[in-house]
Amino acid sequence: MSSNEEAQIAQRRANLDAIVALGFRAYPNRFATTHTVSALATAHGESDAAALEASRVETVTAGRVISIRHFGKAAFLVLSDGRSRIQVYVRQDSLPDRDYQLYRLLDFGDQVGVAGHLFRTKTHELSIWAARLEFLAKCFIPLPEKWHGLHDVEIRYRQRYLDLIVNPDVRRVFEIRSRAVTAIRDFLTSHDFLEVETPMMQPIAGGALARPFVTHHNALDMTLFLRIAPELYLKRLTVGGIERVFEINRNFRNEGISTQHNPEFTMLEFYWAYQDYQVLMRFTEELLSFVARAAVGAEQVPFGEHLIDLQAPYRRLSLRHAAAEEASTRLGVPVLVEELRSLDSARAIAARLGIDVPDAAGPGRVATAIFETLWEDQLIQPTFIYDFPTEVSPLSKQREDDPDTVERFELYIGGFEVANAFSELNDPAEQRRRFESQIAERAKGDAEAHAMDEDYIRALEYGMPPAGGEGIGIDRLVMILSNSPSIRDVILFPLMRPRD
RNA sequence: GGGCCGCUAGCUCAGUGGUAGAGCACCUGCCUUUUAAGCAGAGGGUCGCAGGUUCGAUCCCUGCGCGGCCCA
């Protein structure tokens, strides 16, 4: 007993055999077109019937057949080039017999070439009056239904090509992504930043607090880590005199998967000598409004229930002040900023709020946990959270007036972190102390604590200029710009478990 | 790692302790301006996988797999 799908595949193979028997090649090497479907739709989408008749536009184009409506000895095909669609009118008395026989053997999903002239049907649909058909490739496997499309997210992610064929909005998301990345490059290069590429495989996984993926180089017999951040390499370049530098590339973090986390994700990092985090806040506002205009044509973008406004200025909240203020509201008693700076009182406040913190956490980690738990969900409109505890920021420079606090901010949009930036720590002695403190954290069980990097300290010993640096999560930014609720909607091939 | 939910035809989904349904798609026939074309007819199923309970399980129970959402 053969299944329905097997029968459909057999039918389609038989159709291909018949097409070959007509003299067509099964897999021709090329097809010379004069226009893409999108070009035709753009150029003539507004032309009326009389104008098309007067100009008699002849065209040769190609695409995938995504609909066939038969009418006896005529038919309407819909051809897609992945972006736009155009109707093709096929009739027996307008085609060579061989081409008409070909049309009768076409299946939903086949790749075809068409030559003919443009016209409008009675119902004003822009169409090609086919004078010639060429066969380009067979679709053997039945495609998902035209009306309901493909909803099963598992198949959409595993077989993204199917998703792209049948769900036109998916293409739109990745066009936004492409325009956003291009806009970031344009913005930074126009501000004299140099784009570079630094190692993806690193002997020490530094520049962030995260667990790395581990691999091995056979010839050198050495352990290598897929990078969790490019930070330490980019800052070495500022030592080398590249005063404005950026990289857009993949990071890898060996952590859980969620609507906001994919094990590999794309990050922009840039470093700007002689600037500090205050300058970067203003620069970020400029950058993001520029990117929004370029990617979606507006600074206001819908995101779920919200309309997010990426126009400057963004709200600014000091981390400890915001945490203390919200804790006061929740607990109904005053909570002072100073209480978040001492371990005992900070732990007591966290406990009263029902927030669990690791045993090894110092007051900085506790204050940060309180802040994230109380505030993260409400930070829908762009908000800079600034002045982080030094304890959680091993690569950031301290405030001149407060060694427990670093000049650092995170930008939240849509309820999650999109950017992280700081005035860069360039004092090699202080950097060594921070690394040593991280190693102590690791000894206490923090698997994400930063490792020692002697070569990085040596680079600082040559003198790194004061600088501001920032990382922006491209995937998360694109989620906001494209109104996508999951990071998997903005990554073409998100990581999935093997199915078999 | 924990909790909840899902997995039925190629796709989108109903459904029931008594051997399974719709729409679209596919096949046959009719149709030379349709657009979710129309009309008539036919076919298509390991109900995620494996056990258990039962006279009988797609349905109830247990485990596993894959996915989704939430939490850590």
Side-chain angles (χ1 to χ4, degrees):
Chain A
M1 194 190 314
S2 70
S3 76
N4 184 41
E5 186 178 23
E6 284 166 353
Q8 288 195 46
I9 291 170
Q11 176 66 46
R12 284 162 179 251
R13 288 193 183 280
N15 287 345
L16 177 59
D17 291 344
I19 287 166
V20 170
L22 285 173
F24 290 94
R25 295 188 56 196
Y27 291 97
N29 292 44
R30 67 192 65 80
F31 181 71
T33 62
T34 56
H35 306 88
T36 64
V37 170
S38 294
L40 292 172
T42 302
H44 303 288
E46 305 300 317
S47 314
D48 63 25
L52 287 173
E53 197 164 338
S55 57
R56 179 80 184 190
V57 181
E58 295 287 346
T59 186
V60 182
T61 191
R64 186 186 293 278
V65 176
I66 57 165
S67 168
I68 305 175
R69 292 183 288 273
H70 298 279
F71 280 86
K73 297 179 180 60
F76 294 96
L77 312 180
V78 178
L79 219 59
S80 165
D81 68 353
R83 286 170 68 197
S84 300
R85 297 170 172 194
I86 196 165
Q87 180 168 266
V88 176
Y89 184 42
V90 170
R91 42 188 292 165
Q92 186 171 26
D93 59 13
S94 295
L95 283 175
D97 185 59
R98 175 169 166 272
D99 295 15
Y100 183 73
Q101 295 307 317
L102 167 63
Y103 137 71
R104 291 165 60 89
L105 295 163
L106 289 179
D107 289 295
F108 179 39
D110 288 358
Q111 302 277 355
V112 298
V114 178
H117 69 275
L118 297 180
F119 75 109
R120 283 203 183 264
T121 63
K122 283 180 189 166
T123 52
H124 308 297
E125 175 95 12
L126 178 65
S127 306
I128 301 171
W129 191 297
R132 191 163 65 82
L133 276 184
E134 190 63 56
F135 180 73
L136 300 178
K138 198 66 181 170
C139 176
F140 292 118
I141 305 175
L143 290 173
E145 192 216 330
K146 61 189 172 186
W147 185 242
H148 295 95
L150 181 64
H151 282 195
D152 184 325
V153 292
E154 188 173 348
I155 302 176
R156 288 186 47 223
Y157 297 151
R158 285 186 194 279
Q159 296 179 267
R160 183 68 88 180
Y161 47 90
L162 277 184
D163 196 22
L164 285 162
I165 290 169
V166 301
N167 295 326
D169 284 350
V170 176
R171 174 66 174 253
R172 187 191 136 265
V173 168
F174 293 99
E175 287 172 351
I176 288 172
R177 183 173 178 128
S178 174
R179 287 196 295 268
V181 171
T182 299
I184 290 167
R185 281 209 167 87
D186 290 348
F187 186 86
L188 290 172
T189 54
S190 73
H191 284 78
D192 290 326
F193 282 80
L194 183 72
E195 181 170 10
V196 299
E197 294 177 80
T198 63
M200 312 289 282
M201 294 193 295
Q202 305 178 348
I204 297 168
L209 304 180
R211 302 172 75 137
F213 287 90
V214 187
T215 186
H216 184 259
H217 189 281
N218 290 338
L220 298 180
D221 188 23
M222 69 184 290
T223 298
L224 285 168
F225 302 94
L226 299 191
R227 76 179 191 189
I228 57 176
E231 169 150 353
L232 301 188
Y233 287 92
L234 292 171
K235 287 198 282 199
R236 283 175 171 96
L237 295 177
T238 68
V239 172
I242 307 182
E243 295 182 353
R244 303 182 190 195
V245 65
F246 76 101
E247 177 166 5
I248 297 173
N249 222 323
R250 223 67 64 81
N251 289 346
F252 307 86
R253 296 188 182 174
N254 204 341
E255 294 165 353
I257 293 175
S258 77
T259 51
Q260 284 148 39
H261 298 86
N262 193 65
E264 56 178 299
F265 62 100
T266 302
M267 183 94 121
L268 159 70
E269 283 202 17
F270 64 90
Y271 293 83
W272 192 358
Y274 314 119
Q275 307 302 328
D276 71 358
Y277 76 143
Q278 293 291 344
V279 171
L280 291 190
M281 284 191 223
R282 295 189 289 276
F283 192 62
T284 303
E285 290 168 337
E286 257 188 83
L287 168 65
L288 294 192
S289 39
F290 177 81
V291 169
R293 285 195 302 273
V296 299
E299 293 177 1
Q300 290 75 36
V301 296
F303 187 66
E305 306 290 297
H306 309 284
L307 185 66
I308 288 177
D309 189 351
L310 292 163
Q311 196 170 26
Y314 302 163
R315 184 185 190 190
R316 285 158 166 78
L317 291 175
S318 157
L319 186 145
R320 287 197 190 88
H321 284 90
E325 184 189 319
E326 186 67 19
S328 301
T329 305
R330 303 267 181 121
L331 295 174
V333 295
V335 173
L336 303 176
V337 168
E338 290 313 310
E339 294 178 74
L340 297 175
R341 289 175 180 266
S342 94
L343 183 56
D344 290 346
S345 54
R347 281 192 167 277
I349 291 163
R352 275 151 67 198
L353 289 163
I355 299 169
D356 283 333
V357 288
D359 291 342
R365 278 176 79 183
V366 175
T368 306
I370 291 171
F371 167 78
E372 285 178 357
T373 307
L374 300 186
W375 276 94
E376 204 160 33
D377 293 349
Q378 339 175 16
L379 300 176
I380 304 300
Q381 295 300 329
T383 306
F384 291 117
I385 304 303
Y386 66 93
D387 284 359
F388 276 63
T390 305
E391 181 190 337
V392 297
S393 314
L395 302 166
S396 310
K397 182 177 277 186
Q398 287 145 305
R399 285 181 61 110
E400 291 175 352
D401 59 355
D402 177 7
D404 274 345
T405 302
V406 291
E407 294 189 352
R408 172 182 172 191
F409 69 80
E410 287 183 349
L411 173 62
Y412 281 80
I413 310 177
F416 49 84
E417 178 195 343
V418 171
N420 178 29
F422 32 90
S423 304
E424 301 298 337
L425 176 58
N426 60 342
D427 173 347
E430 172 65 13
Q431 184 66 72
R432 179 179 294 284
R433 285 193 289 277
R434 300 280 189 88
F435 280 155
E436 282 166 354
S437 147
Q438 287 289 309
I439 288 164
E441 293 296 313
R442 184 175 292 264
K444 284 192 271 181
D446 182 358
E448 297 185 353
H450 205 290
M452 176 63 72
D453 189 335
E454 292 287 353
D455 179 72
Y456 177 64
I457 290 174
R458 179 169 57 197
L460 297 185
E461 286 169 344
Y462 281 96
M464 173 179 152
E470 178 163 345
I472 297 181
I474 300 298
D475 313 274
R476 290 180 177 183
L477 177 60
V478 174
M479 286 170 66
I480 302 289
L481 293 173
S482 63
N483 194 10
S484 298
S486 169
I487 198 168
R488 295 182 144 194
D489 294 326
V490 303
I491 293 174
L492 280 166
F493 299 99
L495 185 68
M496 305 285 280
R497 261 184 221 273
R499 200 161 193 177
D500 295 317

